[in-house]
Amino acid sequence: VDGGVGGAAVLMRGGEVVKETWFHLGNDQEHTVYEGEIVGMILAVERLREEGGGGTMALRVDNQAAISTTNAFVSKPGHYLMDILHDDLHKLIPMQDNHKLKVRWTPGHQGIFGNEAADEQAKLAMRGDNSEPHTIPKSLKSCNGAITTLPVSKLALKQRFLKKIKDKAATPMKNSPRYKRLHELDATAPSKHYSKRVEQLPRRHSSLLFQLRTGHAPLNKHLHRI
């Protein structure tokens, strides 16, 4: 929403919303949706800790990548947030504790009340808003108690750079007089799907294939002579 990235958590009991929290990460040029999902999980764990963390608890998340990463210990962009989540989980459920936390996938935009409520709070975060400072966990605050600014995501910067290269490469092709012909054959051109198909071909063969697709091949001249 409006180029922003945010995370949110809603604590529910008996079908009723008890508490809501949201956190603004920054813009989508510097952060990813994946980071927002992990931050949402950190906020949810804090809400559960405040409630005492008794019995069997359930954490519903609508991002499967975030759920699968909870068991991964491989360093990757944004994994420091998963480390924060693990640390907060140890505070919620100590090693000697018998309480359990079940993490379940919840499909988004399916009319599930709790998920829809969390989405509304996430929209507030995406627009640059944070919930009250006392609702934000200490793990997302600096030493003086101020809400911390998260490091810029390496993955987000990489995605932005690749998009810039792709847009720059597409401009000369779209200005080409042959682009209209190519667009009739492949409306997505220049597309990564075509690039993947020809990446194993020798340069000479991929060049001939492209000439045929654009109608700019010596074959036309030969056919004209016939």
Side-chain angles (χ1 to χ4, degrees):
V1 178
D2 298 330
V5 177
V10 173
L11 177 65
M12 299 189 67
R13 186 185 297 113
E16 297 292 332
V17 174
V18 179
K19 292 183 180 179
E20 300 171 323
T21 318
W22 56 96
F23 184 95
H24 177 66
L25 282 76
N27 62 62
D28 58 4
Q29 301 293 309
E30 298 180 344
H31 297 281
T32 63
V33 174
Y34 167 78
E35 289 180 291
E37 295 290 349
I38 301 298
V39 167
M41 295 171 71
I42 294 172
L43 297 176
V45 169
E46 175 65 12
R47 298 283 73 78
L48 290 171
R49 187 191 65 79
E50 289 180 347
E51 290 295 304
T56 299
M57 299 162 285
L59 178 59
R60 296 183 177 271
V61 185
D62 63 1
N63 186 291
Q64 295 189 40
I67 295 175
S68 61
T69 312
T70 57
N71 292 322
F73 294 92
V74 180
S75 179
K76 56 188 298 187
H79 199 77
Y80 74 96
L81 290 172
M82 189 57 67
D83 291 337
I84 293 176
L85 176 63
H86 286 156
D87 290 342
D88 288 357
L89 279 172
H90 285 309
K91 297 175 184 177
L92 173 66
I93 308 176
M95 295 295 291
Q96 67 274 14
D97 202 315
N98 292 324
H99 294 150
K100 294 182 179 180
L101 174 66
K102 295 182 178 180
V103 181
R104 298 174 177 172
W105 174 65
T106 300
H109 310 293
Q110 297 295 319
I112 300 174
F113 178 69
N115 189 63
E116 296 298 326
D119 284 343
E120 289 301 316
Q121 305 310 313
K123 290 177 182 178
L124 293 176
M126 291 176 187
R127 295 189 178 102
D129 191 17
N130 286 311
S131 55
E132 292 297 324
H134 70 272
T135 66
I136 304 297
K138 291 182 179 180
S139 54
L140 295 177
K141 290 181 180 179
S142 60
C143 296
N144 60 7
I147 297 176
T148 188
T149 299
L150 299 182
V152 174
S153 168
K154 176 183 176 180
L155 180 59
L157 292 179
K158 182 179 179 180
Q159 291 174 343
R160 182 174 66 178
F161 180 68
L162 292 177
K163 183 179 183 302
K164 183 178 180 181
I165 292 177
K166 182 179 179 181
D167 293 342
K168 186 176 181 180
T171 300
M173 180 176 290
K174 290 181 179 179
N175 292 334
S176 169
R178 296 288 178 179
Y179 178 73
K180 182 178 179 180
R181 169 64 175 169
L182 175 62
H183 190 70
E184 292 175 353
L185 297 172
D186 184 0
T188 64
S191 68
K192 61 180 180 180
H193 304 291
Y194 174 76
S195 299
K196 287 182 177 181
R197 289 186 177 183
V198 301
E199 65 181 359
Q200 300 299 327
L201 296 177
R203 182 180 178 86
R204 178 173 176 271
H205 293 171
S206 62
S207 178
L208 286 173
L209 180 59
F210 187 78
Q211 290 175 26
L212 289 170
R213 286 170 65 88
T214 58
H216 188 67
L219 179 62
N220 290 336
K221 186 176 182 180
H222 177 69
L223 293 175
H224 180 71
R225 287 177 178 176
I226 295 177

